[in-house]
């Protein structure tokens, strides 16, 4: 891709975000603990189901220290209905790690966040991006759909390793938080308009 193509692509994504961006509650905070909770809840769960759980969870446990000392029975009860209960366990264990190893403060980079239980490369990168503005290269289903749609529209069997260089090259480093929100929202819109582009990937 040459520079004008990058500019055009960014303009399409950002204009859609300005016009059609979703108003999701975790987008109104930069508190890293709250963003980590949202990212773990959003794993394999639709956004409309997560919103109410996220707000209730943070009202009860606004900081890692409060969650770290909670019983698993209470944690699982609060999680009930979201599914994949292991994620709730990981959140409690991550909170304990933050208190024990980081003096109660969230790690400040994607690399450091990966030291937390249950936090993989995507969750660490997304949390660092949305909380700290770190320009990390990340991919999830909606982001994948956008890049397949724009750059591999007539191809199938595309591996993520072919997408990562494009994601890195087009990344709007001045505001990666808005950029990734824009990509996610465009991808979510694509799925309503056409067959899921992610089916082209493997």
């Amino acid at each position: 891709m040459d520079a004008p193509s990058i500019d055009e692509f960014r303009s399409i994504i950002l204009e859609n975000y300005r016009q059609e961006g979703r108003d999701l509650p975790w987008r109104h905070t930069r508190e890293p603990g709250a963003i980590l909770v949202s990212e773990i809840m959003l794993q394999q769960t639709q956004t409309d189901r997560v919103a109410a759980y996220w707000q209730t969870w943070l009202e009860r446990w606004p900081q890692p220290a409060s969650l770290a000392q909670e019983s698993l029975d209470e944690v699982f009860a609060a999680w009930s209905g979201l599914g994949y209960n292991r994620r709730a366990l990981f959140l409690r264990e991550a909170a304990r790690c933050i208190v024990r190893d980081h003096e109660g403060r969230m790690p400040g980079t994607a690399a450091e966040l990966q030291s937390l239980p249950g936090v993989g490369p995507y969750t660490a990168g997304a949390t660092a991006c949305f909380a700290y503005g770190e320009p990390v290269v990340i991919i999830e289903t909606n982001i994948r759909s956008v890049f397949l749609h724009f750059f591999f529209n007539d191809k199938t069997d595309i591996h993520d390793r072919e997408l990562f260089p494009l994601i890195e090259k087009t990344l709007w480093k001045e505001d990666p938080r808005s950029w990734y929100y824009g990509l996610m929202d465009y991808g979510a819109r694509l799925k309503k308009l056409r067959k899921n582009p992610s089916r082209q990937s493997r």
Side-chain angles (χ1 to χ4, degrees):
M1 294 177 62
D2 55 22
S5 297
I6 292 174
D7 290 342
E8 182 181 5
F9 175 59
R10 286 179 181 163
S11 294
I12 292 169
I13 299 302
L14 292 172
E15 181 59 26
N16 182 77
Y17 181 51
R18 282 189 286 269
Q19 298 290 332
E20 306 287 345
R22 293 175 294 178
D23 184 22
L24 302 172
W26 44 87
R27 294 185 177 182
H28 295 282
T29 183
R30 290 183 180 267
E31 213 300 305
I35 291 173
L36 178 63
V37 171
S38 74
E39 289 300 329
I40 290 181
M41 285 186 170
L42 286 165
Q43 294 170 3
Q44 299 176 292
T45 307
Q46 294 180 338
T47 55
D48 55 352
R49 290 186 59 212
V50 167
Y53 279 88
W54 181 79
Q55 291 174 317
T56 300
W57 186 278
L58 291 174
E59 287 169 4
R60 184 164 184 178
W61 301 299
Q63 297 296 329
S66 56
L67 178 60
Q69 55 191 337
E70 189 60 86
S71 72
L72 276 179
D73 286 344
E74 291 296 321
V75 170
F76 286 141
W79 192 271
S80 179
L82 268 182
Y84 303 98
N85 289 351
R86 190 171 177 81
R87 294 179 296 167
L89 172 63
F90 283 144
L91 270 175
R92 206 279 298 262
E93 293 309 303
R96 289 187 163 189
C97 181
I98 290 164
V99 171
R100 183 183 66 245
D101 301 334
H102 300 277
E103 300 181 340
R105 294 190 293 271
M106 285 283 293
T109 68
E112 293 169 339
L113 283 161
Q114 281 197 69
S115 70
L116 300 178
V119 177
Y122 170 76
T123 300
T127 301
C129 173
F130 300 139
Y132 304 126
E134 185 176 346
V136 193
V137 176
I138 56 175
I139 189 169
E140 48 81 76
T141 181
N142 287 321
I143 294 171
R144 182 180 295 110
S145 294
V146 172
F147 281 87
L148 290 171
H149 172 73
F150 277 94
F151 306 115
F152 299 91
N153 201 26
D154 58 346
K155 298 180 181 179
T156 58
D157 212 26
I158 305 301
H159 196 280
D160 281 354
R161 64 173 169 266
E162 298 177 69
L163 304 181
F164 276 114
L166 283 169
I167 296 171
E168 182 174 17
K169 192 169 186 178
T170 58
L171 176 58
W172 188 33
K173 293 182 179 180
E174 290 83 355
D175 187 358
R177 175 181 164 107
S178 294
W179 175 243
Y180 279 120
Y181 284 154
L183 286 172
M184 291 173 179
D185 290 358
Y186 200 99
R189 182 178 173 221
L190 275 176
K191 291 176 181 178
K192 295 178 181 178
L193 298 176
R194 52 165 291 183
K195 182 180 73 174
N196 185 357
S198 288
R199 294 178 184 175
Q200 298 168 243
S201 67
R202 61 180 172 92

